[in-house]
Amino acid sequence: MIDFRHIDAFRAVMKSETMVQAAKLTGISQPGISRLIAELERLSDLKLFDRSRGRLHPTTEAHVLLEEVERRYAGLQAIREFARSLKDSASSPVRFGTVMSFGIGFAARAIAAFKAEHPQIPISHTTGSSALIADQVTMRTCDLGLVTDNADVSSVSSSVFASMDLICALPSDSPLAKNRTITAAMLRDQTIIAYPREDMVRWGLTNVLEEVGISYSRASVETPYSVNICALVREGAGVGFVHPIAAYDFLGHGVSLRRFERSLPVRTLFVKGIGSPLSAGAERLGDILAETLASTEKIVANSLMA
């Protein structure tokens, strides 16, 4: 059976081109290297080297095999580096994921604050659906995550991270922006940018608006994320209901934010794995996420009172 001894010997010979140098690289005797290469050729049923005048000349098959070996070694090296980092929990890589509302400006601010404190700790961020983030936390490819409260969190540890009302996003030059609170009746003659039909948020908005005769279900513009709605509002395509965290990124950029007369709550959950503690870095990131939330909420609240 081909094992790592054969592959190490083959790689060493390919790198050094002589048995003598390969022996020095591996710490195996020259006869040992010769035996391993002969066994590899026999076990693989491949001729890997032409031998003439005491020198080895790799065949085409040997070069192709080396490409695959190098790919495997690159992955092995990444594992070695990761394992070394685990010796010091303070510098273990930190991986987190968020839904889209928290995935652009909010995540960037949190990452910047984290790196200012811990420049030596690698950090990675994923943005995706709640189901994707929860699955990654379950499989330990993410240390922690932020998901919506309709996600299946049965396989992770969860707690409420944020509970906020949707707010109205209006073009800054809209006459409606003169009001501190928007009522459903004010929106009768407005183009409303809607969430997709399968979105849970849409169901609640449909009921509220249809009470005053507005058919939210017939909206002419639909898009899945608050950040998309804000961008469309900025371009004058209509008005919409958005998550305050996503709306923050558009303050002062052609979008005015106003409270709505009715409470339209959206909750976000903080999730982490069950059964094993977070690294020191991941724990600190969790604190920074909470701090970033508090500062963002304060700024958005002040803008709503303007």
Side-chain angles (χ1 to χ4, degrees):
M1 178 183 296
I2 297 173
D3 59 30
F4 282 114
R5 296 174 306 142
H6 299 106
I7 300 302
D8 285 339
F10 167 73
R11 184 171 183 266
V13 172
M14 291 293 288
K15 292 291 186 181
S16 61
E17 298 185 352
T18 70
M19 293 287 188
V20 174
Q21 290 300 318
K24 291 179 179 180
L25 285 175
T26 60
I28 302 172
S29 67
Q30 183 176 341
I33 291 288
S34 298
R35 178 179 55 80
L36 288 169
I37 293 299
E39 288 180 0
L40 178 59
E41 289 183 311
R42 177 175 56 81
L43 292 169
S44 65
D45 196 25
L46 293 172
K47 183 178 181 182
L48 299 173
F49 298 97
D50 290 318
R51 296 161 175 82
S52 64
R53 297 182 181 179
R55 296 191 62 84
L56 299 178
H57 301 280
T59 63
T60 300
E61 289 82 357
H63 286 293
V64 173
L65 179 59
L66 180 64
E67 291 179 5
E68 182 62 23
V69 167
E70 291 295 86
R71 280 194 289 269
R72 304 290 175 155
Y73 265 80
L76 182 59
Q77 182 61 28
I79 293 172
R80 286 172 178 156
E81 292 174 359
F82 181 79
R84 281 196 295 268
S85 73
L86 295 179
K87 291 180 181 179
D88 181 5
S89 62
S91 61
S92 298
V94 175
R95 304 155 300 176
F96 78 111
T98 64
V99 289
M100 184 62 74
S101 295
F102 290 82
I104 303 179
F106 180 89
R109 293 191 296 278
I111 290 171
F114 181 85
K115 293 299 290 183
E117 288 187 12
H118 305 285
Q120 80 283 5
I121 300 180
I123 185 168
S124 63
H125 171 241
T126 298
T127 301
S129 68
S130 292
L132 172 66
I133 301 305
D135 285 346
Q136 290 186 342
V137 172
T138 299
M139 295 184 293
R140 309 301 171 121
T141 55
C142 271
D143 300 301
L144 50 87
L146 299 177
V147 302
T148 56
D149 68 347
N150 61 347
D152 179 2
V153 292
S154 59
S155 59
V156 295
S157 173
S158 65
S159 58
V160 176
F161 179 75
S163 183
M164 311 175 75
D165 283 333
L166 293 179
I167 55 179
C168 288
L170 314 164
S172 293
D173 58 359
S174 169
L176 290 180
K178 298 176 182 179
N179 300 282
R180 294 182 64 177
T181 300
I182 302 300
T183 68
M186 291 177 183
L187 301 176
R188 281 199 181 96
D189 298 325
Q190 300 294 315
T191 298
I192 299 178
I193 304 165
Y195 291 96
R197 298 177 186 277
E198 64 275 10
D199 196 302
M200 292 288 291
V201 173
R202 179 175 177 133
W203 298 356
L205 286 170
T206 296
N207 294 333
V208 169
L209 295 177
E210 288 188 350
E211 288 178 5
V212 295
I214 299 174
S215 181
Y216 186 78
S217 60
R218 295 184 179 179
S220 59
V221 181
E222 293 184 3
T223 191
Y225 301 117
S226 289
V227 64
N228 301 127
I229 293 177
C230 286
L232 286 164
V233 170
R234 181 186 59 195
E235 300 303 322
V239 303
F241 293 86
V242 298
H243 195 293
I245 298 301
Y248 172 97
D249 298 335
F250 289 83
L251 287 174
H253 296 281
V255 176
S256 293
L257 306 177
R258 296 294 181 265
R259 299 186 189 278
F260 187 59
E261 63 174 334
R262 299 272 288 271
S263 175
L264 299 168
V266 287
R267 289 203 318 167
T268 304
L269 304 179
F270 178 91
V271 296
K272 59 182 181 179
I274 297 174
S276 62
L278 294 174
S279 68
E283 286 279 7
R284 180 57 187 139
L285 176 61
D287 294 339
I288 288 176
L289 290 172
E291 294 164 8
T292 304
L293 174 67
S295 62
T296 303
E297 283 184 305
K298 183 177 180 179
I299 293 171
V300 173
N302 290 337
S303 75
L304 295 174
M305 299 175 65

